[in-house]
Amino acid sequence: MLAKSIPLCRRGDAASIRFRMGHLAVVLGTVALLCASHVRADIPISVPLFREARVAWLDGDLAKARKLLSQVAQSERIPAHHRQEAAELLVDLERYGRAGAFRPPQSFPRELPDLDPPVKFFVALDGNDENPGTAERPFRTLEKARDAIRHLKRTQGLPRGGVAVLIREGRYPVQATFRLTAEDSGTPESPILYRAAPGERPIFSGGIRLNKFRPVTDRAVLDRLPEKSRGHVHQVDLREFGMEKVRPLVLGGFASGRGFRTYPVNELYWNKKPLQLARWPNEGFARISKVSDQNPIDSWAGRGSASGPIFFPDPRLSRWANEPQLLLYGYWFWGWADSYEQVEKIDPKSGAIYLRKPYSRYGFGADRPFFALNLLCELDQPGEWYIDRDRAILYIWLPGDPDRAEVELSVLEEPLLVLEGTGHVRFEGLTWELGAVDAIHVRGAKHCVFAGCTIRCFAGDGIVFQEAGPDGGFEGTTDCLGCGVLSCDIHTLGRGGILLHGGDRHTLTRGNNFVENCHIYHLSRIDHTYTPAVLVRGVGQRVAHNLVHDIGSSAFRIDGNDHLVEFNEVFRVVMESDDQGGIDMHGDPTFRGNIFRYNYWHHLGGWERAWETDALYRAGIRLDDGISGNLIYGNIFYRASVGRRGFGGVQIHGGKDNIVDNNLFVDCMAAISFSPWAPKHWQEFISGRLDRPGIDRQLYLSRYPELARLEENPNANWIYRNAAVDCESFFLRDSRANFVGPNWVGTKEAALVVEAPGNFRVREDATIWRELGFRPIGLESIGLYQDRYRQELPLEVIRSGRAGR
């Protein structure tokens, strides 16, 4: 079959042509000139030079290819990423000759020096803090090992090569935070290492193990249970396990009037899998029937109420009215703004549910989704549970034999580990689990690294680099520098994975923090939106080679400047909330210089029913509300845009100066979509941006010269060298303000070799090479890699993810 590129032109009729998969063969059966415009001065000269160089290379004229690539590499008038691409292609040309024409970009895994400190202390479950901490007579606690290092520093100083704390196998109950401060720092020459003993896996647990399950016999309790549950539900008295009191259940969410942060909550786990707090409906959402006319609010999406009540006429409300701490969770007005609302009272006759202040910040609208939570009267299936918080009694419909399972309740209401002002400390091979809040807080640290560790089963976030404040922002000005997370597994969390903050936006000083080779999944269980696998803020962080999946909202949230997100594989994210992206950026046109390259985005929100849904506003990469001056280059988007309308694999909302170059879109509803802004709206939005606190106007104009023309050409982005394969549309909702170079539209037969579902490469005889000067993108370089911390890859997860299950 024949495919055709869109020649260099400003976006016009060519991009409005829709290539529906069912009719694509007919459209491509003839050669049609899609745009007659000639090369524009707005398109970098490197674009046609790359095309000429690729043709020469494929034809064996290596001298010509070398000359053209050298011209690109040495020019200062073209985009920096093109100069880098040309330099890398020249290396491949010299090293591999003609065979290098199809080599994808190579990555360079991070290697930490293997530490073997001359001084070692040992910790073991059968140790004693009165011991000297030797292998034969180990300490019992980390606190004692920490204090021994402090004593060594004061009396002798740290030896060259540093100090190691080797921790033996076992489950260490944690009843209070283990804290390290500046006093506990190492140095570049003498680092401090907390490491699992060779071949062993110590676990630090903030939970308790439960047993002593007894059938429920209390008639009052049985009467509250659904009839089908009686005889199946057991109870356990938490006071027998040291819990005299259980805190009231208070939760938040992004739109909560109580603030967006971690709230302590006890959770029940069965063999490390979270069980469901009793809810209705058991899956999915119900819908509000209507909302009150009191305190009306209006928006382009319709009318709502700022306070309720909401109406849900249903016979079950007569049972709900007797529940003491009923919560309702919902997307009350917008598909990206969730919150938990406390119930003040219920009127079963009218179906009115009155909510307690503070209300959701965006109000309530009719037909919005919600579910009810924490109801003993809805405990109706195996695995559901409920706590009577006044009596400290837990009720559960056991999903199996508790004598053959680990049944655990998260208890500790503070992080298991906190670093404050600490430097040159590394943690290797340790596991933290079962906390009722966040796992680890790191504040103002320098060169502290977590490698080969596991963080699992927490109600809050995994690792927070610089502690979040009450409003969800970051307090203080102390930055983390050179810190990172390498080859760790982070999963089963109530909120996000890693919050990575460092560098200084005022001075554009880089933080050089990183998240690399981590497997991050099953997040956002409690707070469903804006709790990504990695939230990046500040300047100059790197997120690379991670495998991220099974998240209701975004995989990555990026705020700030000069961050690099590369070689990540992301699937089954943005599965619930709407108006989101696998990467999400929002709201500040001075967030510039960020690079998103060589990532694989696939099977994103709604892909299972791609054509059953009218509108799904979910993208692979989403630049929202004026985000400008960033690069999207060399990514693969497969089933990353679904629904009959909504977002493309890339979505740009109101921004300008972004470059979308050399990306491959496969089986997407649209490759690239836009939500253009009117000039007046743009001018109002950018007014005074460079004079705001935290921005050095002259520095930003020097680093990002295009800011001098911020007012000009709203909605103008650069789109070239992209290939859309079996996509319904190439562009969606374009303003015709964009600068568009050659882009290619075709079918899998014309473009790809499909080796397995979700695993493919561009055919060596595809016209994409000659028409675009396309650079190869290699799936084999994307995602997790093996190192000394990660000996085995979760191949079954990758394969099932790529196949879409």
Side-chain angles (χ1 to χ4, degrees):
M1 299 186 72
L2 183 65
K4 190 66 182 175
S5 68
I6 301 175
L8 291 162
C9 60
R10 182 181 289 275
R11 180 48 190 99
D13 292 341
S16 66
I17 294 176
R18 297 172 63 80
F19 294 91
R20 295 185 179 276
M21 288 186 286
H23 302 90
L24 192 58
V26 175
V27 174
L28 296 175
T30 60
V31 179
L33 184 62
L34 300 180
C35 179
S37 299
H38 296 289
V39 175
R40 292 182 49 89
D42 305 300
I43 301 300
I45 188 61
S46 48
V47 173
L49 290 178
F50 273 135
R51 182 166 54 182
E52 291 182 50
R54 180 69 63 184
V55 170
W57 197 342
L58 293 174
D59 290 342
D61 190 346
L62 303 188
K64 182 178 180 181
R66 184 181 300 108
K67 179 180 179 180
L68 291 167
L69 292 174
S70 297
Q71 184 177 343
V72 175
Q74 296 168 12
S75 174
E76 295 296 327
R77 297 178 298 165
I78 61 173
H81 77 284
H82 277 182
R83 298 198 300 272
Q84 180 179 347
E85 176 181 336
E88 293 172 354
L89 291 177
L90 282 169
V91 172
D92 287 343
L93 183 69
E94 299 303 325
R95 184 173 298 174
Y96 303 105
R98 189 172 182 179
F102 300 108
R103 287 184 58 82
Q106 302 301 301
S107 66
F108 300 93
R110 185 179 299 271
E111 294 186 6
L112 297 178
D114 192 2
L115 302 178
D116 186 20
V119 175
K120 297 179 177 64
F121 294 107
F122 291 80
V123 173
L125 279 172
D126 60 355
N128 190 310
D129 282 351
E130 299 301 318
N131 288 341
T134 61
E136 296 77 18
R137 299 178 62 197
F139 297 134
R140 174 65 178 82
T141 67
L142 290 180
E143 286 78 4
K144 180 60 179 179
R146 175 200 63 195
D147 294 345
I149 298 173
R150 288 178 176 177
H151 178 74
L152 179 66
K153 288 179 67 176
R154 288 194 302 268
T155 58
Q156 303 177 38
L158 293 176
R160 186 172 184 83
V163 179
V165 176
L166 299 182
I167 307 160
R168 296 269 172 77
E169 185 87 20
R171 178 180 178 272
Y172 294 78
V174 180
Q175 298 179 342
T177 300
F178 177 56
R179 294 183 181 273
L180 298 178
T181 67
E183 183 181 5
D184 304 299
S185 297
T187 68
E189 298 78 21
S190 304
I192 308 296
L193 174 65
Y194 290 84
R195 172 186 282 171
E200 304 187 39
R201 195 74 184 187
I203 298 172
F204 295 93
S205 176
I208 55 176
R209 289 184 174 173
L210 302 179
N211 49 34
K212 302 181 182 180
F213 293 93
R214 306 178 181 92
V216 175
T217 58
D218 187 326
R219 175 48 55 184
V221 174
L222 291 171
D223 287 345
R224 285 176 61 191
L225 287 168
E227 183 176 353
K228 74 174 187 177
S229 304
R230 299 164 192 169
H232 295 288
V233 176
H234 288 67
Q235 69 181 53
V236 57
D237 190 338
L238 297 177
R239 291 170 295 188
E240 296 182 32
F241 298 87
M243 291 188 67
E244 295 296 328
K245 295 182 179 180
V246 182
R247 72 163 51 238
L249 183 62
V250 177
L251 297 174
F254 176 72
S256 173
R258 286 179 294 279
F260 182 44
R261 59 184 176 85
T262 298
Y263 291 84
V265 56
N266 307 113
E267 295 186 284
L268 188 64
Y269 295 85
W270 185 277
N271 292 332
K272 301 298 185 296
K273 293 183 178 181
L275 297 183
Q276 177 60 59
L277 185 60
R279 57 165 280 180
W280 184 88
N282 289 327
E283 295 181 357
F285 294 85
R287 294 274 173 174
I288 297 172
S289 175
K290 65 177 182 178
V291 298
S292 169
D293 292 331
Q294 301 176 30
N295 302 316
I297 57 174
D298 290 292
S299 78
W300 63 265
R303 168 162 283 207
S305 170
S307 60
I310 62 175
F311 290 86
F312 181 67
D314 191 285
R316 61 188 356 104
L317 291 190
S318 61
R319 301 198 305 273
W320 289 11
N322 298 316
E323 291 291 339
Q325 292 187 37
L326 166 62
L327 294 182
L328 300 182
Y329 170 84
Y331 293 88
W332 302 109
F333 200 89
W334 302 106
W336 43 266
D338 62 323
S339 67
Y340 292 88
E341 300 298 310
Q342 296 178 324
V343 174
E344 183 69 33
K345 65 178 181 178
I346 294 176
D347 181 357
K349 291 184 179 180
S350 67
I353 302 176
Y354 295 84
L355 304 173
R356 187 176 301 166
K357 293 182 179 179
Y359 307 119
S360 172
R361 292 183 289 127
Y362 298 98
F364 305 86
D367 198 40
R368 300 307 299 156
F370 80 98
F371 61 76
L373 190 69
N374 196 39
L375 312 92
L376 182 62
C377 69
E378 298 289 0
L379 200 165
D380 63 355
Q381 66 176 357
E384 284 197 312
W385 61 283
Y386 172 86
I387 294 179
D388 183 327
R389 295 169 190 274
D390 295 328
R391 300 168 60 203
I393 295 178
L394 183 148
Y395 299 95
I396 178 174
W397 186 330
L398 293 168
D401 183 353
D403 293 332
R404 296 175 177 269
E406 288 185 349
V407 187
E408 297 166 302
L409 187 72
S410 59
V411 174
L412 188 64
E413 296 184 0
E414 55 189 71
L416 272 67
L417 172 64
V418 171
L419 280 65
E420 295 179 304
T422 314
H424 299 282
V425 174
R426 189 191 301 179
F427 299 86
E428 291 187 351
L430 308 181
T431 295
W432 292 272
E433 66 178 23
L434 296 169
V437 288
D438 303 335
I440 297 170
H441 284 179
V442 182
R443 185 179 180 86
K446 313 295 183 187
H447 305 288
C448 291
V449 175
F450 298 83
C453 296
T454 297
I455 297 170
R456 65 191 181 195
C457 303
F458 284 86
D461 297 307
I463 307 179
V464 180
F465 288 90
Q466 188 166 15
E467 189 169 341
D471 63 350
F474 288 89
E475 299 178 310
T477 58
T478 303
D479 296 318
C480 291
L481 174 66
C483 295
V485 186
L486 177 66
S487 303
C488 292
D489 290 346
I490 300 173
H491 64 91
T492 316
L493 304 180
R495 301 189 82 234
I498 300 169
L499 282 68
L500 194 68
H501 187 189
D504 186 341
R505 287 202 69 227
H506 181 73
T507 63
L508 291 177
T509 302
R510 301 178 63 87
N512 291 321
N513 303 294
F514 62 89
V515 177
E516 183 166 334
N517 201 35
C518 291
H519 188 187
I520 310 175
Y521 59 102
H522 290 157
L523 310 181
S524 307
R525 183 176 60 256
I526 296 174
D527 289 350
H528 297 203
T529 63
Y530 298 104
T531 48
V534 186
L535 190 159
V536 177
R537 285 178 171 161
V539 181
Q541 329 302 355
R542 181 172 183 256
V543 180
H545 282 290
N546 302 291
L547 176 64
V548 177
H549 59 94
D550 289 286
I551 305 175
S553 190
S554 302
F556 307 126
R557 174 82 179 186
I558 308 296
D559 292 349
N561 299 69
D562 302 335
H563 304 304
L564 178 61
V565 180
E566 62 177 356
F567 294 106
N568 301 284
E569 178 176 1
V570 177
F571 65 92
R572 287 203 303 266
V573 302
V574 205
M575 299 301 290
E576 181 179 284
S577 59
D578 217 30
D579 202 21
Q580 303 285 305
I583 279 182
D584 214 75
M585 293 189 68
H586 174 264
D588 192 333
T590 67
F591 287 172
R592 291 180 173 247
N594 301 293
I595 299 174
F596 311 120
R597 66 183 186 185
Y598 314 138
N599 303 289
Y600 182 28
W601 314 90
H602 63 98
H603 297 98
L604 305 189
W607 60 269
E608 314 98 311
R609 300 178 299 278
W611 303 108
E612 295 177 16
T613 304
D614 182 40
L616 280 177
Y617 295 95
R618 301 168 182 173
I621 298 178
R622 174 175 174 262
L623 308 182
D624 186 29
D625 276 3
I627 292 296
S628 303
N630 300 286
L631 173 65
I632 299 172
Y633 167 74
N635 297 271
I636 300 173
F637 300 88
Y638 173 51
R639 297 187 180 179
S641 162
V642 299
R644 291 189 176 91
R645 58 190 175 92
F647 288 168
V650 170
Q651 155 70 8
I652 301 176
H653 182 193
K656 57 170 292 190
D657 298 335
N658 299 294
I659 299 174
V660 184
D661 176 22
N662 205 96
N663 301 283
L664 178 64
F665 300 87
V666 181
D667 283 351
C668 292
M669 179 272 292
I672 307 168
S673 65
F674 305 88
S675 300
W677 281 4
K680 181 180 179 182
H681 182 33
W682 175 253
Q683 296 298 328
E684 293 172 348
F685 180 75
I686 65 172
S687 178
R689 282 282 173 176
L690 293 179
D691 298 316
R692 292 190 176 187
I695 296 294
D696 183 327
R697 180 186 183 92
Q698 293 306 314
L699 175 62
Y700 272 64
L701 287 171
S702 174
R703 180 75 63 87
Y704 313 112
E706 63 272 19
L707 279 173
R709 300 180 298 278
L710 186 60
E711 296 183 359
E712 303 171 13
N713 297 323
N715 304 306
N717 302 279
W718 281 264
I719 316 292
Y720 41 71
R721 295 201 307 168
N722 301 286
V725 179
D726 281 354
C727 294
E728 184 187 4
S729 302
F730 185 75
F731 279 160
L732 193 63
R733 297 185 304 273
D734 182 43
S735 66
R736 302 196 180 194
N738 293 299
F739 304 125
V740 179
N743 294 286
W744 188 95
V745 177
T747 64
K748 290 189 186 73
E749 291 81 358
L752 303 180
V753 174
V754 179
E755 298 170 341
N759 289 272
F760 44 76
R761 57 182 172 81
V762 177
R763 298 171 58 98
E764 293 188 3
D765 60 352
T767 58
I768 183 174
W769 309 110
R770 295 175 179 272
E771 294 199 18
L772 298 185
F774 197 75
R775 186 181 191 185
I777 310 168
L779 280 175
E780 65 276 7
S781 300
I782 295 174
L784 300 176
Y785 56 79
Q786 291 177 304
D787 61 8
R788 70 174 184 271
Y789 304 109
R790 186 178 297 286
Q791 297 295 319
E792 297 181 2
L793 300 180
L795 294 177
E796 73 286 353
V797 175
I798 298 174
R799 287 169 182 156
S800 63
R802 289 185 179 174
R805 286 188 178 175

